[in-house]
Amino acid sequence: ARGYGDLKMATATAVNAMLDPVRARYEEIRPDEAALEGVLAAGAEQARALAAPVLADVREAMGVWPRRP
């Protein structure tokens, strides 16, 4: 019979295999600080664009208006 240790080892192996491409991409982009900052800024802008209408609805529903610029 296989025990808990076998399950842990199989899980760790599967998780590591799943994360290998993420680790490889991280190693590829991490040295280029400017590019990384650009990716982060673009992601932040996308998040703001998606969140803005939702936050506006929430503020309106709560009666917290006008929205801050």
Side-chain angles (χ1 to χ4, degrees):
R2 294 167 45 137
Y4 182 64
D6 293 330
L7 173 64
K8 284 174 47 177
M9 184 61 72
T11 301
T13 300
V15 169
N16 281 327
M18 185 181 74
L19 291 177
D20 280 343
V22 176
R23 286 187 189 110
R25 180 71 176 133
Y26 175 82
E27 292 297 325
E28 180 182 319
I29 65 173
R30 185 62 183 114
D32 189 349
E33 193 75 26
L36 186 55
E37 290 296 326
V39 168
L40 292 172
E45 185 57 39
Q46 275 186 305
R48 276 190 290 277
L50 287 172
V54 175
L55 290 174
D57 290 346
V58 169
R59 286 185 181 110
E60 186 175 1
M62 293 177 64
V64 181
W65 208 257
R67 196 172 63 178
R68 290 185 293 179

